[in-house]
Amino acid sequence: TNNDASPQTSFHLAVCATIVEDFPHEELWKRWMTSTTIDIPNIINTNDNAEEATNTITCSSELYIHAKHAKQILNNNNSNSSSYLKSKLLPFSHTPNWNDVRVIRAMLSLLQQALQDDKTTHVLFCTESCIPIVTLGEAARSILLDEVCVWEEKKKDG
């Protein structure tokens, strides 16, 4: 956690994907991960007077991929795997099966890799079948402001 009183100026999301051997929505994710900026409210307290200003946040992201069949992707030059996919791939695999503890090991390996980047502020886990439904900026805003968004269920009162 950051104990610094200065406002946050960056949001860097590590997207950690577990796949079998294909990343079918690669182009969509590449477009989604384009850096952007957002303005969010920043409450400034001076002499018991709350004043609202805006804080510009730079939003960026990085992709990390664990593949069940990583060797096949890395060693097969004739495969449909792009050089981009290969560049984001962890160089090993825990070879997880469905509903297997090795899925957790894969996720922990992705997390470990993502946290080696000092820019990482947040982590998102996904699979090859996931697609983003909001922009990176909208996701950052929702996370940073803890806003309930359209894709979340309405919270039921007690």
Side-chain angles (χ1 to χ4, degrees):
T1 59
N2 185 359
N3 293 330
D4 191 352
S6 63
Q8 183 171 351
T9 59
S10 65
F11 174 91
H12 187 76
L13 183 66
V15 178
C16 298
T18 54
I19 69 171
V20 177
E21 61 188 68
D22 191 23
F23 196 52
H25 307 295
E26 176 181 322
E27 291 302 317
L28 178 62
W29 278 105
K30 283 167 61 174
R31 284 192 310 272
W32 184 84
M33 296 176 75
T34 302
S35 295
T36 188
T37 59
I38 60 170
D39 290 325
I40 62 170
N42 182 29
I43 304 298
I44 302 169
N45 290 313
T46 56
N47 300 331
D48 296 329
N49 293 326
E51 177 183 327
E52 188 171 316
T54 58
N55 189 21
T56 300
I57 306 288
T58 302
C59 305
S60 60
S61 59
E62 185 63 53
L63 179 65
Y64 302 91
I65 299 176
H66 176 280
K68 179 176 182 176
H69 302 297
K71 286 183 182 177
Q72 287 177 290
I73 295 170
L74 291 170
N75 296 333
N76 188 353
N77 293 329
N78 296 326
S79 77
N80 292 330
S81 302
S82 71
S83 58
Y84 177 79
L85 173 64
K86 291 177 183 179
S87 74
K88 302 301 179 182
L89 200 61
L90 296 183
F92 59 87
S93 178
H94 294 286
T95 57
N97 291 317
W98 183 257
N99 202 23
D100 181 6
V101 70
R102 290 174 289 185
V103 173
I104 303 303
R105 291 183 186 135
M107 293 173 71
L108 289 173
S109 291
L110 286 165
L111 181 61
Q112 181 179 28
Q113 185 70 32
L115 293 178
Q116 288 180 10
D117 184 347
D118 290 338
K119 294 184 301 186
T120 299
T121 59
H122 297 79
V123 177
L124 168 75
F125 287 103
C126 64
T127 67
E128 64 211 34
S129 60
C130 295
I131 59 170
I133 60 171
V134 296
T135 66
L136 175 59
E138 290 168 326
R141 181 180 181 83
S142 173
I143 292 167
L144 293 172
L145 297 178
D146 196 25
E147 290 181 338
V148 176
C149 298
V150 294
W151 66 88
E152 294 180 306
E153 290 184 37
K154 291 184 179 179
K155 296 178 182 175
K156 296 181 181 179
D157 292 330

